[in-house]
Amino acid sequence: MMARTVLNQADIARALIRISHEILESNRGAENLVILGIPTRGVVLARRIAEAIARIEPTATDVRVGSLDVTMYRDDLGHTRTRTPSRTLVPGSIDGVTVVLVDDVLYSGRTIRAALDALGDHGRPKIVRLAVLVDRGHRELPIRADFVGKNLPSSTAERINLHLLEVDGDEFVSIDGGPVDGGPVDGGDTEGAS
């Protein structure tokens, strides 16, 4: 089955602006807000959200943005291929602030569970929220996103592909795989299988 595009560059931009507004509304402004992206594409999305918040609320000069690598906190290290750990950059103390974790695709919930464990090593936030560009369902843990760009119900045999300009040179979300002529398909691993 050929990949079909479900979000284009303009759709992604609109979703991130909406998420940024929702974060500001939920937090009642930009005070005491830290946005942490989960590598790789979550970091890019976190930066874009922080930039959007600064444009929406010009007085928001103290929004801190960083990255939180979760590789060594995953509970499936022995079962899946492991990527090289990325750099964690937590800008200042997170004690008593609102932390918004940003990931590209929410799937099983395991990446987010790992992120919560990693976050605990850096301090004790007042509140932790989750923003994702795509929620594809199929949770294995009781985790849900607070801010979602697009709910994209999918089969476990399908693959969600997210491309961002900064990482991939183009920008879209597509879905491929799934049943062909009514039969099953090998799904491979899933981008952003969190």
Side-chain angles (χ1 to χ4, degrees):
M1 179 179 208
M2 198 166 176
R4 75 183 153 93
T5 300
V6 292
L7 294 175
N8 62 30
Q9 187 172 7
D11 297 327
I12 292 171
R14 279 191 294 275
L16 293 177
I17 292 294
R18 182 172 36 79
I19 287 170
S20 302
H21 278 282
E22 291 172 356
I23 289 170
L24 284 169
E25 184 178 327
S26 171
N27 198 54
R28 295 192 173 111
E31 295 75 35
N32 296 314
L33 184 62
V34 176
I35 302 172
L36 297 177
I38 299 172
T40 296
R41 289 165 186 82
V43 175
V44 173
L45 297 173
R47 286 186 193 126
R48 290 188 191 180
I49 289 169
E51 290 166 2
I53 286 173
R55 284 192 306 273
I56 295 164
E57 197 146 314
T59 59
T61 57
D62 62 343
V63 176
R64 296 178 284 154
V65 64
S67 62
L68 183 68
D69 183 75
V70 302
T71 304
M72 301 314 293
Y73 293 86
R74 294 192 62 92
D75 65 358
D76 58 0
L77 282 174
H79 305 286
T80 61
R81 61 182 166 88
T82 305
R83 70 170 184 220
T84 304
S86 300
R87 184 169 177 227
T88 290
L89 174 62
V90 177
S93 173
I94 59 168
D95 291 335
V97 303
T98 298
V99 172
V100 178
L101 295 172
V102 180
D103 202 8
D104 52 3
V105 178
L106 180 58
Y107 185 34
S108 68
R110 293 189 180 280
T111 297
I112 304 310
R113 190 222 36 91
L116 293 170
D117 287 349
L119 195 60
D121 285 349
H122 294 279
R124 189 174 188 273
K126 178 180 176 186
I127 299 170
V128 178
R129 304 267 189 233
L130 175 60
V132 298
L133 183 59
V134 174
D135 184 345
R136 66 172 294 180
H138 304 288
R139 220 72 77 239
E140 296 173 3
L141 298 170
I143 289 174
R144 71 167 182 81
D146 300 283
F147 314 107
V148 178
K150 175 83 171 167
N151 284 297
L152 188 58
S154 60
S155 130
T156 56
E158 292 173 312
R159 181 180 169 95
I160 306 296
N161 302 295
L162 169 61
H163 285 229
L164 296 175
L165 283 171
E166 298 89 333
V167 178
D168 307 294
D170 53 3
E171 186 144 313
F172 61 88
V173 175
S174 68
I175 186 167
D176 62 10
V180 177
D181 297 328
V185 169
D186 291 332
D189 62 5
T190 302
E191 182 65 34
S194 18

Short mmCIF file of all heavy atoms in Angstrom, two decimals, residues 94-163:
data_model
loop_
_atom_site.label_atom_id
_atom_site.label_comp_id
_atom_site.label_asym_id
_atom_site.label_seq_id
_atom_site.Cartn_x
_atom_site.Cartn_y
_atom_site.Cartn_z
N ILE A 94 13.66 22.71 37.36
CA ILE A 94 12.27 22.43 37.01
C ILE A 94 11.40 22.28 38.26
O ILE A 94 10.21 22.02 38.16
CB ILE A 94 12.13 21.19 36.11
CG1 ILE A 94 12.69 19.95 36.80
CG2 ILE A 94 12.77 21.43 34.75
CD1 ILE A 94 12.33 18.64 36.10
N ASP A 95 12.00 22.48 39.43
CA ASP A 95 11.25 22.37 40.68
C ASP A 95 10.14 23.41 40.72
O ASP A 95 10.39 24.61 40.54
CB ASP A 95 12.17 22.54 41.89
CG ASP A 95 13.14 21.38 42.06
OD1 ASP A 95 12.83 20.27 41.59
OD2 ASP A 95 14.21 21.59 42.66
N GLY A 96 8.92 22.96 40.96
CA GLY A 96 7.79 23.86 41.15
C GLY A 96 7.25 24.55 39.91
O GLY A 96 6.43 25.46 40.02
N VAL A 97 7.68 24.13 38.71
CA VAL A 97 7.19 24.77 37.48
C VAL A 97 6.32 23.79 36.70
O VAL A 97 6.24 22.61 37.02
CB VAL A 97 8.35 25.27 36.59
CG1 VAL A 97 9.24 26.25 37.35
CG2 VAL A 97 9.17 24.12 36.03
N THR A 98 5.68 24.30 35.66
CA THR A 98 4.93 23.45 34.74
C THR A 98 5.87 23.00 33.64
O THR A 98 6.48 23.83 32.96
CB THR A 98 3.74 24.21 34.12
OG1 THR A 98 2.85 24.59 35.17
CG2 THR A 98 3.00 23.35 33.11
N VAL A 99 6.00 21.70 33.47
CA VAL A 99 6.81 21.14 32.39
C VAL A 99 5.87 20.53 31.36
O VAL A 99 4.99 19.74 31.70
CB VAL A 99 7.79 20.05 32.91
CG1 VAL A 99 8.47 19.34 31.75
CG2 VAL A 99 8.82 20.67 33.85
N VAL A 100 6.06 20.94 30.10
CA VAL A 100 5.33 20.33 29.00
C VAL A 100 6.31 19.46 28.23
O VAL A 100 7.28 19.95 27.67
CB VAL A 100 4.70 21.39 28.07
CG1 VAL A 100 3.98 20.70 26.90
CG2 VAL A 100 3.73 22.28 28.84
N LEU A 101 6.06 18.14 28.26
CA LEU A 101 6.84 17.22 27.46
C LEU A 101 6.26 17.21 26.05
O LEU A 101 5.03 17.20 25.89
CB LEU A 101 6.77 15.80 28.04
CG LEU A 101 7.39 15.60 29.42
CD1 LEU A 101 7.08 14.20 29.95
CD2 LEU A 101 8.89 15.83 29.38
N VAL A 102 7.13 17.23 25.04
CA VAL A 102 6.67 17.26 23.65
C VAL A 102 7.26 16.07 22.91
O VAL A 102 8.47 15.86 22.93
CB VAL A 102 7.10 18.58 22.95
CG1 VAL A 102 6.61 18.60 21.51
CG2 VAL A 102 6.58 19.79 23.72
N ASP A 103 6.38 15.30 22.27
CA ASP A 103 6.82 14.17 21.46
C ASP A 103 6.10 14.24 20.11
O ASP A 103 5.10 14.93 19.97
CB ASP A 103 6.53 12.85 22.18
CG ASP A 103 7.40 11.69 21.68
OD1 ASP A 103 8.33 11.94 20.88
OD2 ASP A 103 7.15 10.55 22.10
N ASP A 104 6.62 13.50 19.15
CA ASP A 104 6.04 13.54 17.81
C ASP A 104 4.79 12.68 17.70
O ASP A 104 3.71 13.16 17.37
CB ASP A 104 7.07 13.19 16.74
CG ASP A 104 7.82 11.89 17.00
OD1 ASP A 104 7.52 11.18 17.99
OD2 ASP A 104 8.72 11.56 16.19
N VAL A 105 4.92 11.39 17.98
CA VAL A 105 3.81 10.45 17.83
C VAL A 105 3.62 9.68 19.13
O VAL A 105 4.57 9.08 19.63
CB VAL A 105 4.07 9.46 16.67
CG1 VAL A 105 2.92 8.47 16.55
CG2 VAL A 105 4.29 10.20 15.36
N LEU A 106 2.41 9.70 19.67
CA LEU A 106 2.09 8.93 20.86
C LEU A 106 1.48 7.61 20.42
O LEU A 106 0.50 7.59 19.68
CB LEU A 106 1.11 9.71 21.75
CG LEU A 106 0.66 9.04 23.04
CD1 LEU A 106 1.85 8.70 23.94
CD2 LEU A 106 -0.33 9.94 23.77
N TYR A 107 2.07 6.52 20.88
CA TYR A 107 1.63 5.18 20.47
C TYR A 107 1.40 4.35 21.73
O TYR A 107 0.37 4.47 22.37
CB TYR A 107 2.69 4.60 19.54
CG TYR A 107 2.38 3.26 18.90
CD1 TYR A 107 1.11 2.88 18.52
CD2 TYR A 107 3.41 2.36 18.65
CE1 TYR A 107 0.85 1.65 17.92
CE2 TYR A 107 3.17 1.13 18.04
CZ TYR A 107 1.89 0.79 17.69
OH TYR A 107 1.65 -0.43 17.09
N SER A 108 2.35 3.55 22.14
CA SER A 108 2.15 2.64 23.28
C SER A 108 2.16 3.37 24.62
O SER A 108 1.57 2.89 25.58
CB SER A 108 3.23 1.56 23.28
OG SER A 108 4.50 2.14 23.58
N GLY A 109 2.84 4.50 24.70
CA GLY A 109 2.98 5.23 25.96
C GLY A 109 4.30 4.94 26.66
O GLY A 109 4.65 5.57 27.65
N ARG A 110 5.09 4.03 26.13
CA ARG A 110 6.34 3.63 26.80
C ARG A 110 7.40 4.73 26.78
O ARG A 110 8.15 4.88 27.75
CB ARG A 110 6.86 2.33 26.21
CG ARG A 110 5.93 1.16 26.51
CD ARG A 110 6.48 -0.18 26.15
NE ARG A 110 5.51 -1.21 26.49
CZ ARG A 110 5.33 -1.69 27.72
NH1 ARG A 110 6.06 -1.25 28.72
NH2 ARG A 110 4.43 -2.62 27.94
N THR A 111 7.48 5.49 25.70
CA THR A 111 8.43 6.60 25.67
C THR A 111 8.08 7.64 26.73
O THR A 111 8.96 8.18 27.41
CB THR A 111 8.47 7.26 24.28
OG1 THR A 111 8.93 6.29 23.33
CG2 THR A 111 9.40 8.47 24.25
N ILE A 112 6.80 7.90 26.91
CA ILE A 112 6.37 8.91 27.89
C ILE A 112 6.61 8.40 29.31
O ILE A 112 7.03 9.17 30.18
CB ILE A 112 4.90 9.29 27.66
CG1 ILE A 112 4.68 9.76 26.22
CG2 ILE A 112 4.45 10.34 28.66
CD1 ILE A 112 5.66 10.83 25.73
N ARG A 113 6.39 7.11 29.54
CA ARG A 113 6.71 6.55 30.86
C ARG A 113 8.20 6.74 31.15
O ARG A 113 8.59 7.14 32.24
CB ARG A 113 6.33 5.06 30.93
CG ARG A 113 6.43 4.53 32.36
CD ARG A 113 7.07 3.15 32.48
NE ARG A 113 8.12 2.83 31.62
CZ ARG A 113 9.44 3.03 31.88
NH1 ARG A 113 9.82 3.61 33.00
NH2 ARG A 113 10.36 2.65 31.03
N ALA A 114 9.03 6.49 30.16
CA ALA A 114 10.47 6.67 30.31
C ALA A 114 10.79 8.15 30.55
O ALA A 114 11.67 8.48 31.36
CB ALA A 114 11.21 6.15 29.07
N ALA A 115 10.08 9.04 29.88
CA ALA A 115 10.31 10.48 30.05
C ALA A 115 9.98 10.92 31.47
O ALA A 115 10.69 11.75 32.06
CB ALA A 115 9.50 11.27 29.04
N LEU A 116 8.92 10.37 32.03
CA LEU A 116 8.56 10.72 33.41
C LEU A 116 9.64 10.25 34.38
O LEU A 116 9.99 10.97 35.33
CB LEU A 116 7.20 10.13 33.77
CG LEU A 116 6.02 10.74 33.00
CD1 LEU A 116 4.75 9.91 33.25
CD2 LEU A 116 5.82 12.19 33.37
N ASP A 117 10.20 9.06 34.14
CA ASP A 117 11.30 8.58 34.98
C ASP A 117 12.52 9.49 34.83
O ASP A 117 13.16 9.86 35.82
CB ASP A 117 11.69 7.15 34.60
CG ASP A 117 10.67 6.12 35.06
OD1 ASP A 117 9.77 6.48 35.86
OD2 ASP A 117 10.79 4.95 34.64
N ALA A 118 12.86 9.84 33.60
CA ALA A 118 14.02 10.72 33.36
C ALA A 118 13.81 12.08 33.99
O ALA A 118 14.74 12.67 34.57
CB ALA A 118 14.27 10.85 31.85
N LEU A 119 12.60 12.60 33.88
CA LEU A 119 12.29 13.93 34.43
C LEU A 119 12.51 13.96 35.94
O LEU A 119 13.03 14.93 36.49
CB LEU A 119 10.84 14.28 34.09
CG LEU A 119 10.42 15.72 34.25
CD1 LEU A 119 11.25 16.64 33.37
CD2 LEU A 119 8.94 15.86 33.92
N GLY A 120 12.14 12.86 36.61
CA GLY A 120 12.32 12.77 38.05
C GLY A 120 13.77 12.90 38.50
O GLY A 120 14.05 13.33 39.62
N ASP A 121 14.70 12.56 37.63
CA ASP A 121 16.12 12.71 37.95
C ASP A 121 16.58 14.16 37.89
O ASP A 121 17.70 14.48 38.29
CB ASP A 121 16.99 11.88 37.01
CG ASP A 121 16.94 10.40 37.34
OD1 ASP A 121 16.40 10.03 38.42
OD2 ASP A 121 17.45 9.60 36.53
N HIS A 122 15.74 15.04 37.35
CA HIS A 122 16.12 16.45 37.17
C HIS A 122 15.38 17.40 38.10
O HIS A 122 15.65 18.60 38.10
CB HIS A 122 15.90 16.87 35.72
CG HIS A 122 16.81 16.16 34.78
ND1 HIS A 122 18.11 16.56 34.57
CD2 HIS A 122 16.62 15.05 34.03
CE1 HIS A 122 18.67 15.73 33.70
NE2 HIS A 122 17.80 14.81 33.37
N GLY A 123 14.44 16.89 38.86
CA GLY A 123 13.72 17.76 39.79
C GLY A 123 12.27 17.31 39.95
O GLY A 123 11.87 16.24 39.50
N ARG A 124 11.52 18.21 40.61
CA ARG A 124 10.12 17.90 40.91
C ARG A 124 9.22 19.03 40.41
O ARG A 124 8.99 20.01 41.11
CB ARG A 124 9.92 17.70 42.40
CG ARG A 124 8.56 17.17 42.76
CD ARG A 124 8.45 16.85 44.25
NE ARG A 124 7.21 16.18 44.55
CZ ARG A 124 6.08 16.81 44.82
NH1 ARG A 124 6.03 18.12 44.81
NH2 ARG A 124 4.99 16.11 45.10
N PRO A 125 8.72 18.88 39.17
CA PRO A 125 7.84 19.91 38.64
C PRO A 125 6.53 19.99 39.42
O PRO A 125 6.11 19.01 40.05
CB PRO A 125 7.55 19.46 37.20
CG PRO A 125 8.50 18.35 36.93
CD PRO A 125 8.94 17.80 38.24
N LYS A 126 5.88 21.14 39.35
CA LYS A 126 4.55 21.30 39.95
C LYS A 126 3.53 20.47 39.16
O LYS A 126 2.71 19.77 39.73
CB LYS A 126 4.15 22.77 39.94
CG LYS A 126 2.78 23.05 40.49
CD LYS A 126 2.47 24.53 40.44
CE LYS A 126 1.04 24.78 40.93
NZ LYS A 126 0.68 26.19 40.76
N ILE A 127 3.62 20.58 37.83
CA ILE A 127 2.70 19.88 36.93
C ILE A 127 3.49 19.41 35.72
O ILE A 127 4.36 20.12 35.23
CB ILE A 127 1.57 20.83 36.44
CG1 ILE A 127 0.74 21.34 37.61
CG2 ILE A 127 0.67 20.14 35.41
CD1 ILE A 127 -0.23 22.44 37.21
N VAL A 128 3.16 18.22 35.21
CA VAL A 128 3.73 17.74 33.96
C VAL A 128 2.58 17.53 32.98
O VAL A 128 1.59 16.86 33.31
CB VAL A 128 4.51 16.41 34.13
CG1 VAL A 128 5.06 15.93 32.80
CG2 VAL A 128 5.63 16.58 35.15
N ARG A 129 2.71 18.12 31.82
CA ARG A 129 1.72 17.98 30.75
C ARG A 129 2.40 17.32 29.55
O ARG A 129 3.62 17.34 29.44
CB ARG A 129 1.17 19.34 30.32
CG ARG A 129 0.57 20.14 31.44
CD ARG A 129 -0.91 19.90 31.54
NE ARG A 129 -1.50 20.83 32.48
CZ ARG A 129 -2.26 20.47 33.50
NH1 ARG A 129 -2.48 19.20 33.72
NH2 ARG A 129 -2.78 21.36 34.28
N LEU A 130 1.59 16.79 28.63
CA LEU A 130 2.12 16.14 27.44
C LEU A 130 1.48 16.72 26.20
O LEU A 130 0.25 16.79 26.10
CB LEU A 130 1.85 14.63 27.50
CG LEU A 130 2.23 13.81 26.27
CD1 LEU A 130 3.73 13.92 25.96
CD2 LEU A 130 1.82 12.35 26.45
N ALA A 131 2.32 17.13 25.25
CA ALA A 131 1.87 17.61 23.94
C ALA A 131 2.45 16.70 22.88
O ALA A 131 3.64 16.39 22.90
CB ALA A 131 2.33 19.05 23.70
N VAL A 132 1.60 16.26 21.94
CA VAL A 132 2.05 15.41 20.83
C VAL A 132 1.45 15.94 19.54
O VAL A 132 0.34 16.46 19.53
CB VAL A 132 1.67 13.92 21.02
CG1 VAL A 132 2.34 13.35 22.27
CG2 VAL A 132 0.18 13.70 21.06
N LEU A 133 2.19 15.78 18.45
CA LEU A 133 1.65 16.17 17.16
C LEU A 133 0.59 15.16 16.71
O LEU A 133 -0.47 15.53 16.22
CB LEU A 133 2.75 16.30 16.11
CG LEU A 133 2.28 16.77 14.74
CD1 LEU A 133 1.62 18.14 14.83
CD2 LEU A 133 3.43 16.80 13.76
N VAL A 134 0.87 13.85 16.89
CA VAL A 134 -0.05 12.80 16.45
C VAL A 134 -0.27 11.81 17.59
O VAL A 134 0.68 11.33 18.19
CB VAL A 134 0.50 12.05 15.21
CG1 VAL A 134 -0.39 10.87 14.86
CG2 VAL A 134 0.67 12.99 14.03
N ASP A 135 -1.55 11.52 17.85
CA ASP A 135 -1.91 10.44 18.77
C ASP A 135 -2.54 9.34 17.92
O ASP A 135 -3.60 9.54 17.34
CB ASP A 135 -2.90 10.93 19.82
CG ASP A 135 -3.24 9.86 20.86
OD1 ASP A 135 -2.95 8.67 20.62
OD2 ASP A 135 -3.81 10.22 21.90
N ARG A 136 -1.87 8.20 17.83
CA ARG A 136 -2.36 7.12 16.97
C ARG A 136 -3.10 6.03 17.73
O ARG A 136 -3.56 5.06 17.14
CB ARG A 136 -1.22 6.53 16.14
CG ARG A 136 -0.16 5.81 16.97
CD ARG A 136 0.81 5.09 16.10
NE ARG A 136 0.14 4.01 15.37
CZ ARG A 136 0.73 3.20 14.53
NH1 ARG A 136 2.00 3.34 14.28
NH2 ARG A 136 0.07 2.25 13.93
N GLY A 137 -3.20 6.14 19.04
CA GLY A 137 -3.90 5.13 19.82
C GLY A 137 -3.01 3.94 20.14
O GLY A 137 -1.78 4.04 20.08
N HIS A 138 -3.60 2.84 20.56
CA HIS A 138 -2.92 1.58 20.88
C HIS A 138 -2.07 1.67 22.14
O HIS A 138 -0.99 1.09 22.23
CB HIS A 138 -2.07 1.07 19.71
CG HIS A 138 -2.84 0.91 18.46
ND1 HIS A 138 -3.75 -0.10 18.27
CD2 HIS A 138 -2.87 1.66 17.33
CE1 HIS A 138 -4.30 0.02 17.09
NE2 HIS A 138 -3.79 1.08 16.49
N ARG A 139 -2.56 2.40 23.15
CA ARG A 139 -1.81 2.55 24.37
C ARG A 139 -1.65 1.24 25.11
O ARG A 139 -2.58 0.43 25.17
CB ARG A 139 -2.55 3.55 25.28
CG ARG A 139 -1.63 4.48 26.00
CD ARG A 139 -0.98 5.53 25.13
NE ARG A 139 -1.90 6.59 24.83
CZ ARG A 139 -2.26 6.92 23.58
NH1 ARG A 139 -1.75 6.32 22.55
NH2 ARG A 139 -3.09 7.88 23.37
N GLU A 140 -0.47 1.02 25.68
CA GLU A 140 -0.18 -0.13 26.53
C GLU A 140 -0.09 0.27 27.99
O GLU A 140 0.00 -0.58 28.87
CB GLU A 140 1.13 -0.78 26.08
CG GLU A 140 1.06 -1.35 24.67
CD GLU A 140 2.41 -1.84 24.16
OE1 GLU A 140 3.41 -1.79 24.91
OE2 GLU A 140 2.46 -2.26 23.00
N LEU A 141 -0.07 1.58 28.24
CA LEU A 141 0.03 2.12 29.59
C LEU A 141 -1.04 3.21 29.75
O LEU A 141 -1.46 3.81 28.76
CB LEU A 141 1.42 2.72 29.83
CG LEU A 141 2.60 1.75 29.72
CD1 LEU A 141 3.92 2.50 29.73
CD2 LEU A 141 2.55 0.75 30.86
N PRO A 142 -1.44 3.51 30.98
CA PRO A 142 -2.48 4.52 31.19
C PRO A 142 -1.93 5.94 31.06
O PRO A 142 -1.80 6.69 32.03
CB PRO A 142 -2.99 4.23 32.61
CG PRO A 142 -1.79 3.63 33.30
CD PRO A 142 -1.07 2.85 32.23
N ILE A 143 -1.60 6.32 29.84
CA ILE A 143 -1.01 7.62 29.54
C ILE A 143 -1.83 8.26 28.43
O ILE A 143 -2.20 7.59 27.46
CB ILE A 143 0.46 7.46 29.11
CG1 ILE A 143 1.29 7.05 30.33
CG2 ILE A 143 1.00 8.73 28.46
CD1 ILE A 143 2.73 6.72 30.03
N ARG A 144 -2.11 9.56 28.57
CA ARG A 144 -2.80 10.29 27.51
C ARG A 144 -2.19 11.68 27.37
O ARG A 144 -1.62 12.22 28.32
CB ARG A 144 -4.30 10.38 27.78
CG ARG A 144 -4.65 11.31 28.93
CD ARG A 144 -6.12 11.64 28.98
NE ARG A 144 -6.39 12.55 30.06
CZ ARG A 144 -6.21 13.85 30.01
NH1 ARG A 144 -5.76 14.42 28.93
NH2 ARG A 144 -6.44 14.61 31.07
N ALA A 145 -2.33 12.23 26.18
CA ALA A 145 -1.78 13.56 25.91
C ALA A 145 -2.78 14.63 26.34
O ALA A 145 -4.00 14.46 26.19
CB ALA A 145 -1.45 13.70 24.44
N ASP A 146 -2.26 15.74 26.86
CA ASP A 146 -3.09 16.89 27.22
C ASP A 146 -3.36 17.76 26.00
O ASP A 146 -4.39 18.43 25.92
CB ASP A 146 -2.37 17.73 28.29
CG ASP A 146 -2.12 16.92 29.54
OD1 ASP A 146 -3.08 16.71 30.30
OD2 ASP A 146 -0.97 16.48 29.75
N PHE A 147 -2.40 17.79 25.07
CA PHE A 147 -2.50 18.63 23.88
C PHE A 147 -2.15 17.77 22.67
O PHE A 147 -1.06 17.21 22.60
CB PHE A 147 -1.53 19.81 23.98
CG PHE A 147 -1.56 20.51 25.32
CD1 PHE A 147 -0.51 20.35 26.22
CD2 PHE A 147 -2.65 21.28 25.70
CE1 PHE A 147 -0.53 20.97 27.46
CE2 PHE A 147 -2.68 21.90 26.95
CZ PHE A 147 -1.62 21.75 27.83
N VAL A 148 -3.08 17.67 21.72
CA VAL A 148 -2.91 16.78 20.56
C VAL A 148 -3.13 17.58 19.28
O VAL A 148 -4.16 18.25 19.13
CB VAL A 148 -3.90 15.60 20.60
CG1 VAL A 148 -3.75 14.72 19.38
CG2 VAL A 148 -3.71 14.79 21.88
N GLY A 149 -2.18 17.47 18.35
CA GLY A 149 -2.35 18.11 17.05
C GLY A 149 -3.36 17.39 16.19
O GLY A 149 -4.23 18.00 15.58
N LYS A 150 -3.26 16.06 16.14
CA LYS A 150 -4.16 15.26 15.29
C LYS A 150 -4.31 13.88 15.89
O LYS A 150 -3.32 13.19 16.14
CB LYS A 150 -3.55 15.14 13.88
CG LYS A 150 -4.31 14.25 12.93
CD LYS A 150 -5.46 14.96 12.28
CE LYS A 150 -6.07 14.11 11.17
NZ LYS A 150 -7.33 14.64 10.76
N ASN A 151 -5.55 13.47 16.15
CA ASN A 151 -5.84 12.09 16.51
C ASN A 151 -5.91 11.31 15.21
O ASN A 151 -6.67 11.67 14.31
CB ASN A 151 -7.16 11.99 17.27
CG ASN A 151 -7.02 12.46 18.69
OD1 ASN A 151 -6.27 11.86 19.47
ND2 ASN A 151 -7.70 13.53 19.03
N LEU A 152 -5.10 10.27 15.10
CA LEU A 152 -5.01 9.51 13.87
C LEU A 152 -5.15 8.02 14.17
O LEU A 152 -4.16 7.31 14.30
CB LEU A 152 -3.67 9.81 13.19
CG LEU A 152 -3.44 9.28 11.81
CD1 LEU A 152 -4.50 9.78 10.84
CD2 LEU A 152 -2.06 9.70 11.32
N PRO A 153 -6.40 7.56 14.34
CA PRO A 153 -6.59 6.13 14.60
C PRO A 153 -5.94 5.31 13.48
O PRO A 153 -6.05 5.66 12.31
CB PRO A 153 -8.11 5.96 14.59
CG PRO A 153 -8.65 7.33 14.85
CD PRO A 153 -7.66 8.28 14.24
N SER A 154 -5.24 4.28 13.87
CA SER A 154 -4.51 3.49 12.89
C SER A 154 -4.46 2.04 13.35
O SER A 154 -4.69 1.74 14.51
CB SER A 154 -3.08 4.03 12.75
OG SER A 154 -2.42 3.97 14.00
N SER A 155 -4.15 1.19 12.43
CA SER A 155 -3.96 -0.22 12.75
C SER A 155 -2.53 -0.41 13.24
O SER A 155 -1.64 0.37 12.89
CB SER A 155 -4.24 -1.04 11.49
OG SER A 155 -3.24 -1.95 11.22
N THR A 156 -2.30 -1.44 14.02
CA THR A 156 -0.93 -1.70 14.47
C THR A 156 -0.03 -2.11 13.32
O THR A 156 1.19 -2.05 13.42
CB THR A 156 -0.90 -2.80 15.56
OG1 THR A 156 -1.54 -3.97 15.04
CG2 THR A 156 -1.60 -2.33 16.82
N ALA A 157 -0.62 -2.50 12.19
CA ALA A 157 0.16 -2.88 11.00
C ALA A 157 0.56 -1.67 10.17
O ALA A 157 1.33 -1.79 9.24
CB ALA A 157 -0.63 -3.85 10.14
N GLU A 158 0.03 -0.49 10.53
CA GLU A 158 0.35 0.71 9.79
C GLU A 158 1.51 1.45 10.45
O GLU A 158 1.78 1.29 11.64
CB GLU A 158 -0.87 1.63 9.71
CG GLU A 158 -1.97 1.05 8.85
CD GLU A 158 -3.24 1.87 8.90
OE1 GLU A 158 -3.68 2.22 10.02
OE2 GLU A 158 -3.79 2.14 7.82
N ARG A 159 2.18 2.25 9.65
CA ARG A 159 3.32 3.03 10.11
C ARG A 159 3.01 4.50 9.92
O ARG A 159 2.57 4.92 8.85
CB ARG A 159 4.55 2.65 9.30
CG ARG A 159 5.81 3.38 9.72
CD ARG A 159 7.00 2.92 8.86
NE ARG A 159 8.12 3.79 9.09
CZ ARG A 159 9.09 3.55 9.95
NH1 ARG A 159 9.08 2.45 10.65
NH2 ARG A 159 10.08 4.40 10.10
N ILE A 160 3.24 5.29 10.96
CA ILE A 160 3.08 6.73 10.88
C ILE A 160 4.47 7.32 10.64
O ILE A 160 5.41 7.04 11.39
CB ILE A 160 2.51 7.31 12.20
CG1 ILE A 160 1.22 6.60 12.60
CG2 ILE A 160 2.34 8.82 12.10
CD1 ILE A 160 0.07 6.77 11.66
N ASN A 161 4.59 8.12 9.59
CA ASN A 161 5.87 8.74 9.24
C ASN A 161 5.75 10.25 9.40
O ASN A 161 4.89 10.86 8.77
CB ASN A 161 6.23 8.43 7.78
CG ASN A 161 6.31 6.94 7.54
OD1 ASN A 161 7.14 6.26 8.09
ND2 ASN A 161 5.39 6.44 6.72
N LEU A 162 6.58 10.82 10.24
CA LEU A 162 6.61 12.26 10.43
C LEU A 162 7.93 12.79 9.89
O LEU A 162 8.99 12.33 10.29
CB LEU A 162 6.48 12.61 11.91
CG LEU A 162 6.74 14.07 12.28
CD1 LEU A 162 5.78 15.01 11.59
CD2 LEU A 162 6.67 14.25 13.78
N HIS A 163 7.84 13.72 8.97
CA HIS A 163 9.02 14.39 8.44
C HIS A 163 8.95 15.85 8.82
O HIS A 163 7.91 16.48 8.65
CB HIS A 163 9.07 14.27 6.90
CG HIS A 163 9.46 12.91 6.42
ND1 HIS A 163 10.43 12.72 5.49
CD2 HIS A 163 9.03 11.68 6.76
CE1 HIS A 163 10.57 11.42 5.26
NE2 HIS A 163 9.73 10.78 6.03
#
